[in-house]
Amino acid sequence: METKTFDVRDIIEDRNALEDKLGEAAEMLKNGGTVAFPTETVYGLGANALDEAAVKKIFEAKGRPSDNPLIVHIAETDQLKELVKEVPEKALRLMDKFWPGPLSIIMEKTALVPDCVTAGLGTAAIRMPENPEAYVLLKLAGCPVAAPSANLSGKPSPTKPEHVLHDLTGRVNGIVLGRTCDVGIESTVIDMSTEPPVILRPGIITKEDIEAVIGTVKIAGRKTDQQSVPKAPGMKYTHYAPNAPMILFDSDPAEMTAEILKRAADELAQGKKVGIIATDETRGLYETQLAPGLRPNTCILSTGSRGDLMTVAHNIFHILRRFDEEKVDIILSESFEAEGIGFSIMNRMDKAADEIK
Ligand code: TXA
Ligand code: MG
């Protein structure tokens, strides 16, 4: 399949120029095609949510299991009418506060939304993304757009145009090349069809942010404990997996740094190329401590400072993909305190990791 690109990197602040540039991409969506586009969280792979044949192309392009439902993206709240039976009062308050923005809200769907979008569930997740490229594309297309993250199924979500080109060239009709995504991890998903509401996927809009608006909500805890928990091999393909095995060190910062240094030295001694997910606070330490002669065999990448978790979230998927480029044999990662945005970051890292120590 030929994949046409629409480069809007220079015109993002100019609505008129965006409309000129994205007209053809919007036509592709209207005509049942697939178009990847940037949102403030990660890039999405879109198709007309009301066109069953178009939605099936998304699953095919990504290699996504058909039992995993998609998020429906809208430009205006008017579009809710055709998609959901009713908007609960608390959902309305969340929309007022957080839309457009990185929050997907699950509500009871209408019969108009095809089963393939929701994997047969009676509910649909709806989201109004914030950035201008997404807004203009959705507005011009004039239809709700189902869009999972624009990666091959199982790979880290794409936060840069190069990631989408790498995964989807030849597999989709169009790719909008925009900015690096500001947020860097996917939207918070909250199920408002139950009481109390349940956060199904944490994001940068945290449980605390939501509770400040609508009161108590439920959230699942981390699926890990402090012991070593190797995942069942069959589970590995499901999420964010870099090519190399990844070990997540989950203890207090001083201890995990020491453990990573020790493990890195062992792996290097065996001739392995080692990737380390560090922080600004520890990168220098790894660089000086690992024997200089072996340094070419290490790739040490910092997610940012521990004091700035927004930046860590912004960088995490890009860093996982960098290790694929660097062809490391093993990835040793620091972890973060699972509080607030740290909880959402750890949700992604737990899934990316093969083993948690
Ligand atoms: O930030 C985002 O949400 C990005 C951008 C492109 O908008 N999209 C995204 O889509 O991350 P995806 O398909 O990778 O993740 C959708 C998540 C999945 O975990 C899916 O199971 C859940 O939302 N989901 C969607 N509809 C659901 C429903 N009706 N009930 C329960 N979970 C649902
Ligand atoms: Mg995804």
Side-chain angles (χ1 to χ4, degrees):
M1 181 189 305
E2 192 202 338
T3 301
K4 180 148 188 179
T5 57
F6 304 90
D7 193 341
V8 299
R9 279 172 281 202
D10 294 336
I11 56 169
I12 279 158
E13 301 311 328
D14 181 344
R15 289 274 161 111
N16 290 331
L18 277 175
E19 284 179 11
D20 288 345
K21 193 84 180 194
L22 293 179
E24 190 184 343
E27 284 302 315
M28 286 175 169
L29 288 173
K30 277 185 190 166
N31 296 330
T34 47
V35 177
F37 60 97
T39 79
E40 76 277 28
T41 55
V42 301
Y43 276 70
L45 173 59
N48 181 349
L50 303 182
D51 178 342
E52 197 170 335
V55 170
K56 289 195 167 143
K57 293 179 193 167
I58 293 178
F59 288 93
E60 235 167 81
K62 280 182 57 100
R64 179 178 175 111
S66 62
D67 61 356
N68 194 0
L70 307 178
I71 295 172
V72 179
H73 295 65
I74 57 175
E76 312 284 352
T77 43
D78 275 1
Q79 292 174 280
L80 282 169
K81 286 196 294 287
E82 60 180 358
L83 301 171
V84 301
K85 284 189 183 153
E86 70 166 329
V87 178
E89 191 270 333
K90 284 181 182 175
L92 211 51
R93 278 193 265 157
L94 291 179
M95 291 170 193
D96 272 352
K97 173 80 180 175
F98 298 113
W99 277 10
L103 180 68
S104 298
I105 302 180
I106 294 178
M107 292 169 279
E108 280 190 47
K109 79 173 188 80
T110 63
L112 216 59
V113 181
D115 281 346
C116 63
V117 171
T118 63
L121 296 171
T123 55
I126 318 283
R127 149 162 150 79
M128 186 187 286
E130 191 176 13
N131 65 337
E133 309 98 293
Y135 176 79
V136 169
L137 181 69
L138 292 170
K139 184 85 185 149
L140 291 175
C143 56
V145 170
S149 48
N151 50 281
L152 289 176
S153 197
K155 299 312 285 174
S157 297
T159 55
K160 293 178 181 286
E162 302 79 50
H163 302 162
V164 185
L165 288 169
H166 177 271
D167 279 17
L168 296 181
T169 299
R171 307 178 74 93
V172 299
N173 298 110
I175 300 177
V176 178
L177 306 173
R179 282 177 290 196
T180 296
C181 302
D182 283 338
V183 175
I185 58 173
E186 309 90 336
S187 63
T188 304
V189 176
I190 185 162
D191 187 351
M192 298 302 296
S193 73
T194 60
E195 186 56 44
V198 185
I199 295 176
L200 299 180
R201 180 176 70 186
I204 59 150
I205 294 176
T206 61
K207 179 173 189 272
E208 293 74 25
D209 296 334
I210 288 173
E211 289 188 329
V213 181
I214 59 166
T216 308
V217 298
K218 286 209 284 193
I219 189 167
R222 282 182 73 191
K223 284 209 191 74
T224 55
D225 56 27
Q226 293 308 106
Q227 296 155 21
S228 178
V229 188
K231 278 199 276 181
M235 300 287 285
K236 178 174 162 31
Y237 72 89
T238 47
H239 278 97
Y240 313 129
N243 291 337
M246 171 168 150
I247 304 176
L248 184 60
F249 290 79
D250 193 12
S251 43
D252 72 73
E255 208 177 310
M256 70 175 101
T257 307
E259 285 172 18
I260 288 174
L261 277 168
K262 184 168 174 300
R263 180 66 181 256
D266 286 353
E267 299 286 340
L268 287 166
Q270 293 172 43
K272 300 267 180 64
K273 181 163 181 180
V274 178
I276 297 179
I277 301 185
T279 48
D280 288 356
E281 288 78 10
T282 55
R283 177 173 36 195
L285 184 76
Y286 295 121
E287 282 171 356
T288 45
Q289 296 270 322
L290 296 170
L294 293 171
R295 218 178 283 153
N297 244 3
T298 61
C299 173
I300 301 164
L301 301 176
S302 173
T303 52
S305 166
R306 282 192 175 272
D308 178 9
L309 293 177
M310 289 290 273
T311 300
V312 175
H314 174 82
N315 287 328
I316 188 69
F317 285 139
H318 176 58
I319 284 180
L320 291 177
R321 281 177 179 261
R322 284 272 288 116
F323 289 123
D324 287 355
E325 283 167 27
E326 293 282 342
K327 299 194 168 54
V328 301
D329 298 306
I330 187 160
I331 300 167
L332 309 176
S333 179
E334 294 187 14
S335 56
F336 296 87
E337 197 188 343
E339 287 293 327
I341 294 170
F343 181 79
S344 310
I345 294 166
M346 291 316 297
N347 171 272
R348 308 312 192 269
M349 292 186 107
D350 286 344
K351 288 178 178 158
D354 294 80
E355 192 180 335
I356 299 169
K357 281 190 179 292

